[in-house]
Amino acid sequence: DRALRPAVPSQNSTASPASCFRSTTTLRLRRQRNEMRPVASLRVVAACSLVCFGNVHGFAPTPIPFRRGVAFAGDRVDRFIHQQSSLANDWRGGDATGEENDRMVSLSLVVTYLTVMGAKCALPSVLAILSSPESGLAHTSEGMSRQDVISRLLAVSTLSITMGKMLLGPVIDAMGGAASLQIALMTLCACLLGISSAKSLTVLALYFVVIDFAFSSCWAACVKTIRDALPEDRWSKEIGNLAMAARCGNTVAFAFFAWLLQKSGDWRLIFQVSSAVQLIPLCLVTYVKRGTVAEEEIYESSSEPVRASSLKQALNVLRREAATPEYWLHLGSRSILMILVSFLLFIPSFMVQCYDMTAASSAKVGSIFALGCFLSVSLLSERSYPPHGGQYTNGHHKSFSMLGLLALSTLTLACQMLHLQDVMPLSPTIGSALIFIWGFSLAVPFYLPSSMFALKQGGKEASATISDSFDIVGFGLLVFFNGRVARVLSKAGSFTSMSRRRYTWLPVFKLMTGMSIAAAVTLFGAVWLEETRTESS
């Protein structure tokens, strides 16, 4: 009787609801499998008997080999057992419900990053207006012009992102991805609305620094949500979806804000619209957080001791991975590629000064770069960097794919250098095509390898921490790189000769060509070591 009596947890038991749920589900599935086992055995016996009976009495046109008949029966039994093993998805509400929940998680993340990256374009869209007295903002900083305040704002906002990357990773791992996204979206919504009602340039600058601090958590929070709520075979696809959402958000936002300014002429309306749009992903993330199928989100503990333990675990995992060469190679390649991708901000000015394009035409070249990134991640994310066990994971396919893409990036930069030296003058059309190819070659190496490393090696304890740690150095270096390019931009603008302008831009492209080569070497080494470790295990 005691053996048949179900186990009842004691009142002093400290088992979590998640562990109790797993135990209950395991016992139920085991019971169902045991109940179906006699049926499977009967199917094998019946199939073998039919083979013998058909051969003896000549029911089949030609005798059926006994081995083939048993294999056929075994195949049917394997299919039957596979159908029964699918009951393991019962805790997710079944296959159909699980797929629906996965799609909801994916939709919420894509919409979140689309709107957040779109809101990031609000300030660049109205930067020229804010720098002039026509903005209606009071200028209270003595000894500094409006342009100096804006320049300092851009530098401080980049440092704010760097600080967010340094501090928020372990917090995201402790709180969970969905909860972190909720806080970030509410902060963005409130600060964007605050900017729309700001009366002075100083208040606007403070709001924008807070916005960048909140923005710094969005990518890591999305990565953490993917790790918690989606199966591993969907990770690379979802990272690619986030990358597409980022570039699509940039492209659509710049076009929409330009149209809005042309129609209304009120820069405050742009921030009001940006604030209102953040409510859409906020509602989706809230829905996903409440109804997510991920076990960690359903039974998330909110006690402080657990959070403190999670913070410690995240830092321990980061310390463990920092002892591997793969981590530092990924850190180097991600930092370099962040600088190259961020050159998007200067593409319109570069095309004006070095290809003699109009301001309206050069603005479209930035969208062409973003389109190249968009097509790259949509077409190559699962082919160039497939999940383990996928269709293209033979040998060192991933590492050579990354090397090939970054070799293409180096080639496009070398062509630009030849144009700047007047060795191979290019037309604006060919220059725009090179910008498109450059964006196409950078997107997958920038977004996927380091994020997949963080998902796999960081696990559920430190995926956001590792993802953020890769961006700290990049944003720090970006401050100095942007300052150097800004000085080149100012110096080249003082020349009337096209050849002098091109020669002024040449050192920047020499630097970026060297950086592209360095990124190719470091990323190839990182992915090669990962593949070697995977094959050996």
Side-chain angles (χ1 to χ4, degrees), residues 113-157:
Y113 220 64
L114 180 76
T115 57
V116 167
M117 293 300 291
K120 278 288 291 179
C121 299
L123 183 66
S125 299
V126 298
L127 206 56
I129 300 176
L130 297 179
S131 302
S132 66
E134 299 174 358
S135 63
L137 294 172
H139 177 49
T140 57
S141 300
E142 297 182 0
M144 294 180 63
S145 65
R146 288 178 177 268
Q147 289 77 11
D148 292 337
V149 173
I150 296 296
S151 299
R152 184 165 296 184
L153 166 62
L154 295 177
V156 173
S157 63

Side-chain angles (χ1 to χ4, degrees), residues 157-181:
S157 63
T158 305
L159 292 177
S160 177
I161 296 176
T162 306
M163 291 298 298
K165 295 290 184 182
M166 292 178 61
L167 301 175
L168 296 180
V171 177
I172 294 169
D173 282 315
M175 293 181 60
S180 302
L181 283 176

